[in-house]
Amino acid sequence: RSSSSSSSSSSTNGSPSRATSVAGTTSTAPATTTTTTTTTTTTTSTTTTTREGFTIVDQADIYQHVLTAMDESSSVTHDYKVAVLVDYLRSLNFHHIAVQPFLHELLVKILVKKEEYYKLHQFLQYHVVSDSAHVACQLLALERQYPPAAQLALDMLKRLRTRSTTVEVLLARGQLLPALRFARQYDLRVSVLRFLAAADESDDAALFYTVFSFFEARAALAPGGSTAIELNSPECATYTQKFHRMFATSLAARQQQHVLAVAAGGAGA
């Protein structure tokens, strides 16, 4: 005779043991009697709540389980996606909760997908989208589709005080003179070799002259400094020779003017 019953197991000290899903057979008397014991699994989850009893949902959970799913859904309109995300950002700001960068990145992604660059520009100007290095990189990538995005990114990097990154970005975009002005303004150490190489590749003689003269003047101010050492290094020798070869006449005229100025000063004394 077979019978089915449900029982809960206990430990030897009388406290209940952890419930698990087990189905087995045990012999309790003669071989003809079989008892099947079945237990059920109980799963509990812990949540964080406030003193008032409200459940706290992390931004990462909202992003992963709500916002990302909403963005990937074809049944949700674009305007609704933007409205939901913007309202969530406003709610976080209202309660003085720091917004995680991935939320701003998602908003930029949603707007770019529909080429709403003007709205994105407004959100950046009114700080709906906060400054971050990740957002700045997103904006730099949009330069071809929306040229003002590059300047927005540079302004953001300056506000973030990521000065070395700003110089790198300007150099990568071929804006050598703005990069040098920025480096001079904040007295930043930059790679002489990289700037000379970029100026040489531009095939712009005036730009090459200006860039080399900048480092030459900086080296003269600190003969034992890093700029002077790098400028006189074997790696930069090719550019130094090219500079003197291309502008020999201008250099001779400049040297003559300097001699005349020194002589005039001595005569006046």
Side-chain angles (χ1 to χ4, degrees):
R1 186 179 61 179
S2 298
S3 60
S4 176
S5 62
S6 177
S7 62
S8 60
S9 59
S10 300
S11 61
T12 56
N13 61 3
S15 60
S17 64
R18 183 177 180 181
T20 55
S21 294
V22 177
T25 60
T26 57
S27 297
T28 57
T32 56
T33 304
T34 302
T35 304
T36 302
T37 304
T38 305
T39 60
T40 57
T41 301
T42 304
T43 303
T44 58
S45 59
T46 59
T47 57
T48 305
T49 59
T50 64
R51 287 180 297 180
E52 294 80 7
F54 295 106
T55 302
I56 298 175
V57 182
D58 190 75
Q59 293 180 48
D61 293 329
I62 292 290
Y63 173 81
Q64 181 179 357
H65 301 292
V66 179
L67 299 177
T68 302
M70 179 187 69
D71 178 42
E72 295 173 352
S73 174
S74 58
S75 61
V76 181
T77 64
H78 168 75
D79 291 339
Y80 186 78
K81 295 176 184 178
V82 174
V84 168
L85 188 48
V86 170
D87 280 345
Y88 182 50
L89 294 176
R90 286 174 177 168
S91 176
L92 292 171
N93 288 323
F94 179 79
H95 292 285
H96 306 289
I97 299 174
V99 179
Q100 296 299 317
F102 50 75
L103 295 176
H104 292 130
E105 293 172 39
L106 179 61
L107 179 57
V108 172
K109 174 187 171 185
I110 291 174
L111 293 172
V112 169
K113 193 181 297 183
K114 288 295 183 178
E115 299 183 351
E116 290 191 329
Y117 302 122
Y118 178 71
K119 183 177 288 187
L120 172 61
H121 200 135
Q122 285 186 313
F123 283 168
L124 290 165
Q125 284 186 324
Y126 292 102
H127 302 290
V128 176
V129 176
S130 299
D131 296 345
S132 76
H134 295 287
V135 172
C137 291
Q138 280 184 294
L139 294 174
L140 288 170
L142 293 175
E143 183 181 10
R144 182 173 298 179
Q145 300 97 310
Y146 185 61
Q151 188 58 48
L152 290 171
L154 288 172
D155 293 340
M156 184 177 292
L157 289 172
K158 290 177 182 178
R159 290 193 297 271
L160 291 169
R161 298 185 180 276
T162 52
R163 292 168 181 171
S164 298
T165 305
T166 303
V167 172
E168 290 292 330
V169 169
L170 289 170
L171 179 60
R173 298 179 65 240
Q175 294 182 290
L176 274 64
L177 296 184
L180 290 178
R181 284 195 293 268
F182 189 84
R184 181 176 57 189
Q185 179 182 356
Y186 294 103
D187 194 25
L188 302 176
R189 179 180 175 181
V190 296
S191 171
V192 179
L193 181 61
R194 290 186 62 191
F195 271 89
L196 291 179
D200 184 39
E201 292 172 2
S202 69
D203 291 326
D204 186 335
L207 178 61
F208 182 74
Y209 180 88
T210 303
V211 171
F212 191 94
S213 298
F214 171 86
F215 289 114
E216 190 179 44
R218 180 176 266 198
L221 291 174
S226 59
T227 299
I229 293 173
E230 187 175 0
L231 186 62
N232 295 318
S233 67
E235 291 78 11
C236 293
T238 302
Y239 302 111
T240 302
Q241 294 169 5
K242 181 176 181 177
F243 177 78
H244 288 285
R245 185 173 62 252
M246 290 177 62
F247 306 105
T249 304
S250 300
L251 292 173
R254 189 171 67 178
Q255 186 175 7
Q256 185 178 8
Q257 289 177 353
H258 177 71
V259 171
L260 292 174
V262 171

